[in-house]
Amino acid sequence: MNGLACQVLREGKPVADAVLVSSRTNVERKRLTLAHELAHRIIRSTGNPAIKLEAAMNRFAGAFLVPGQHLIQEAGEGRRRITYHEIVRLKHMYGVSAAAMLVRLGQVGVLPRAAVQRAFRTFARSWRKSEPEPIDGNQGFGAFEKPQRFKGLVWRALGEELISPVRAATLLNESLDTVERQITGPAIRPGAGIT
């Protein structure tokens, strides 16, 4: 399982919604899973029995991460084919998997359905198991989309003196020396004033 959406209950009453995603998946998969699970929290039914709920969640996730009009502007309208290089460039631009990008290109009409199907039978056959040219976890979306809330709350608690620097260092998995330097900022050289 890559992710799930749930509701946190207190005394039988809902107090918060939560979306969890596996830390063992790549950046591209995490982003799509988060958007998919967000859809589960806001969409209860499709209103059309012919449209499967999971398919609607996937479509929402694709549209949320790769807006149709912008993709058409980037890739061009009514294409017959697209190169591997273009797919990789677009996948890095939008932070989604190559397979998701290929599907989205078909959904918005950049590529005909037959071209998408042909791609998945040929050069894109392995993309659902092995991501081509993955986004590095420390660059671009990989660096930007790291959870920051917990760190922010620890620093706030420290600033409000609700926890000690020792406790903050433990929670942040940092040395006490590093945390103390971050509390006071860089040391000022003797004789140098703040101007």
Side-chain angles (χ1 to χ4, degrees), residues 3-25:
L4 66 94
C6 61
Q7 218 171 34
V8 179
L9 304 176
R10 182 180 298 143
E11 298 173 5
K13 295 181 182 171
V15 293
D17 289 327
V19 174
L20 305 171
V21 66
S22 172
S23 62
R24 294 187 177 109
T25 59

Side-chain angles (χ1 to χ4, degrees), residues 165-186:
V166 172
R167 181 71 177 139
T170 301
L171 292 170
L172 296 169
N173 199 23
E174 298 278 350
S175 70
L176 179 58
D177 187 49
T178 300
V179 169
E180 287 178 337
R181 275 197 312 269
Q182 291 296 319
I183 292 170
T184 60

Side-chain angles (χ1 to χ4, degrees), residues 43-122:
I43 299 170
R44 298 293 178 221
S45 105
T46 64
N48 180 346
I51 300 172
K52 303 287 184 210
L53 194 56
E54 284 303 304
M57 301 304 131
N58 288 334
R59 182 74 182 238
F60 171 90
F64 183 77
L65 295 173
V66 185
Q69 282 302 112
H70 192 265
L71 180 58
I72 290 168
Q73 288 172 351
E74 286 295 320
E77 199 168 357
R79 305 266 309 261
R80 289 184 304 131
R81 294 185 181 153
I82 193 163
T83 65
Y84 171 83
H85 174 82
E86 291 174 286
I87 293 170
V88 169
R89 180 185 71 80
L90 291 168
K91 103 179 200 98
H92 281 269
M93 173 188 281
Y94 291 103
V96 298
S97 70
M101 180 52 63
L102 193 52
V103 168
R104 190 71 180 136
L105 287 164
Q107 287 175 342
V108 300
V110 169
L111 292 175
R113 179 181 221 166
V116 174
Q117 290 171 341
R118 184 173 46 254
F120 278 120
R121 284 192 315 267
T122 58

Side-chain angles (χ1 to χ4, degrees), residues 115-192:
V116 174
Q117 290 171 341
R118 184 173 46 254
F120 278 120
R121 284 192 315 267
T122 58
F123 67 91
R125 183 176 50 243
S126 65
W127 288 2
R128 288 198 168 111
K129 293 180 181 169
S130 176
E131 184 62 36
E133 301 190 37
I135 296 171
D136 183 7
N138 296 317
Q139 296 177 336
F141 285 105
F144 175 71
E145 295 199 359
K146 293 204 182 320
Q148 298 294 318
R149 178 106 171 116
F150 179 75
K151 281 186 176 182
L153 291 172
V154 171
W155 282 106
R156 183 171 181 172
L158 183 59
E160 298 286 331
E161 297 181 341
L162 299 172
I163 62 172
S164 70
V166 172
R167 181 71 177 139
T170 301
L171 292 170
L172 296 169
N173 199 23
E174 298 278 350
S175 70
L176 179 58
D177 187 49
T178 300
V179 169
E180 287 178 337
R181 275 197 312 269
Q182 291 296 319
I183 292 170
T184 60
I188 299 175
R189 293 185 322 273

